[in-house]
Amino acid sequence: MLADLAEHSMKCQSRVIQTRTIAWCKDLLPSLNIHKTIPNILVHPTCSTTHLGLSETLLEIASALAASAEIPLGTTCCGTAGDRGLLHPELVHSATRDTIVQIQSSGDETCFVSANRTCELGMRQTTGKVYESFIYALEEATRFV
């Protein structure tokens, strides 16, 4: 009986498709209508986004939503390291030292996006800029007015 259950479970699990949110949203873009263009988006690709090879995809999504989208020069790991950077903000300060000037000199119309909540919190704590998931920018830009 347990063998039958395990076999059934394996069949069910083999039909499950895991999709990364960034890749899914990129595939969804052609079917969405952009009603509001965001003037400028600065993208912070997370370590996992970079390791999965999705940084350019994230930038493509941002570019579809904004008049201008870019990854700040020198962007690497933000130093948040899960929640470690929240307890030790000096990690994030040190990791973002090469990009802080570009980020802080961005205009008021700039939207700051990423794909991981703890990175967004660490970047906000260090830069003073509100970082949110790119999903919020996607929703805002495609919201029917």
Side-chain angles (χ1 to χ4, degrees):
M1 179 135 198
L2 285 176
D4 291 337
L5 183 59
E7 184 178 330
H8 174 72
S9 177
M10 287 177 61
K11 283 181 184 178
C12 290
Q13 289 177 12
S14 70
R15 294 187 305 226
V16 173
I17 299 171
Q18 289 187 359
T19 304
R20 303 285 180 225
T21 308
I22 296 169
W24 180 73
C25 286
K26 169 74 167 57
D27 292 342
L28 192 63
L29 268 178
S31 63
L32 297 174
N33 294 317
I34 308 297
H35 298 288
K36 177 185 174 189
T37 301
I38 298 165
N40 187 35
I41 295 180
L42 281 186
V43 177
H44 175 76
T46 65
C47 292
S48 61
T49 301
T50 302
H51 290 298
L52 291 168
L54 293 171
S55 296
E56 286 302 314
T57 306
L58 183 57
L59 185 58
E60 286 178 48
I61 294 168
S63 296
L65 307 176
S68 170
E70 63 182 313
I71 297 172
L73 294 173
T75 297
T76 58
C77 174
C78 67
T80 304
D83 65 354
R84 192 88 176 137
L86 302 177
L87 300 171
H88 302 280
E90 64 274 10
L91 295 172
V92 185
H93 288 286
S94 176
T96 58
R97 69 185 174 277
D98 294 335
T99 59
I100 194 82
V101 172
Q102 185 179 0
I103 292 167
Q104 289 182 332
S105 66
S106 298
D108 292 338
E109 296 289 315
T110 302
C111 177
F112 301 89
V113 300
S114 190
N116 178 286
R117 190 61 186 144
T118 55
C119 293
E120 294 156 14
L121 292 170
M123 291 296 289
R124 181 180 188 167
Q125 181 180 14
T126 298
T127 66
K129 303 293 185 179
V130 178
Y131 276 80
E132 292 185 317
S133 172
F134 74 98
I135 300 268
Y136 289 113
L138 179 63
E139 189 279 327
E140 181 181 335
T142 58
R143 185 184 305 153
F144 186 73
V145 272

